[in-house]
Amino acid sequence: MIKMIALDLDETLLNTDKTISEKNVATLQRLHQAGMKVVLCTGRPINAIWGYIKQLGLTTPADFTITFNGALVVNNVTRETLAQSGLKHRDFELLHVFAAANGYPLDILDFEQVYPIADLTPSVYQQMLKAPMAFTPTDFANLPDHLYSKAVMATDAAVLDQVVTNLTPDLKQQYHVVRSQPKILEFLAADMDKAVGLGQLLTHFGWNFSNLMAFGDAENDLGMIKAAGDGVAMLNGQPEVKAAANHQTPTANNDAGVAAYLQQVFEDAIN
């Protein structure tokens, strides 16, 4: 039985203009009020998506969000951490050498702020993120020695295509590398993705992945799509996501594809 619905944001729950359609809002609110857990899953911090959380009414003491692509599971009301994992300063050394040798930018994120690596090519991540996080330019050698959530390369899509082509076997082994947007490439711990955070949250409620329905469109959604009892790819999703999914939405994100699928599956609860 499905008890939890996990939702990617960009090009999944959100329209291309970064809004949630009224149909998606109304459908998810009804299911949430009926007792379904609705969980947003994103690479962003919770502050950056708080408007969406409030809009959907995910503000009870039992509501959680998966942030930083699975590295942090946080309670929506108390902001207490249910689970957290990540990387240390030394874990990024290989990536820094690669970026320096090829003229690529790099931003490293902890769970509170972003460190644009000042001794590398300038990044466009701050302009793209548009989130209430502090950006503190720092040379790689001077990064604080504490836990980090991930690193990102943010630049032109054509440059990132080149980065992906140039990734060495060591880099692929050291990091879980995912393209979350055409202009953003993310480097996570090797065993990290959204499914990790969702697994921790399901365990918290005494459930397992058979109780999960997950919606996504892109490479960084593959883990949860494959793990979920019902992995649902967006009609506008990437081919590899569609291939991994159990089902596909009848319409695209800009046509409330999430709601269209949910209304098929949970007709009695919604109507």
Side-chain angles (χ1 to χ4, degrees), residues 98 104 159-167 172 177 179 185:
F98 172 72
Y104 300 141
V159 174
L160 289 186
D161 290 342
Q162 180 188 79
V163 173
V164 172
T165 299
N166 290 340
L167 289 173
K172 293 177 181 179
V177 185
R179 191 85 168 260
L185 188 68

Side-chain angles (χ1 to χ4, degrees), residues 1-2 8 20 31 46 52 63 68 82 87-88 128 132 142 147 186 193 201 208 217 220 227 243 258-259:
M1 177 186 294
I2 300 299
D8 171 56
I20 309 177
L31 287 171
I46 193 170
Y52 302 136
D63 285 319
F68 299 102
L82 176 68
L87 296 154
K88 300 298 288 290
M128 294 188 65
N142 297 329
L147 194 67
E186 307 200 9
D193 68 16
L201 185 56
N208 58 46
D217 74 295
N220 64 327
V258 167

Side-chain angles (χ1 to χ4, degrees), residues 208-225:
N208 58 46
F209 280 105
S210 69
N211 303 121
L212 178 69
M213 176 185 291
F215 289 83
D217 74 295
E219 185 179 345
N220 64 327
D221 303 317
L222 271 171
M224 68 176 184
I225 292 290

Side-chain angles (χ1 to χ4, degrees), residues 7 40 52 74 82 104 107-108 119 125 129 169 181 191 196 243-244 248 252 255 259 266-267:
L7 298 147
L40 302 186
Y52 302 136
V74 61
L82 176 68
Y104 300 141
D107 294 85
I108 296 178
D119 55 87
Y125 190 56
L129 188 60
Q181 296 184 36
D191 58 352
V196 173
Q248 186 172 297
D255 294 311
F266 300 109
E267 183 178 1

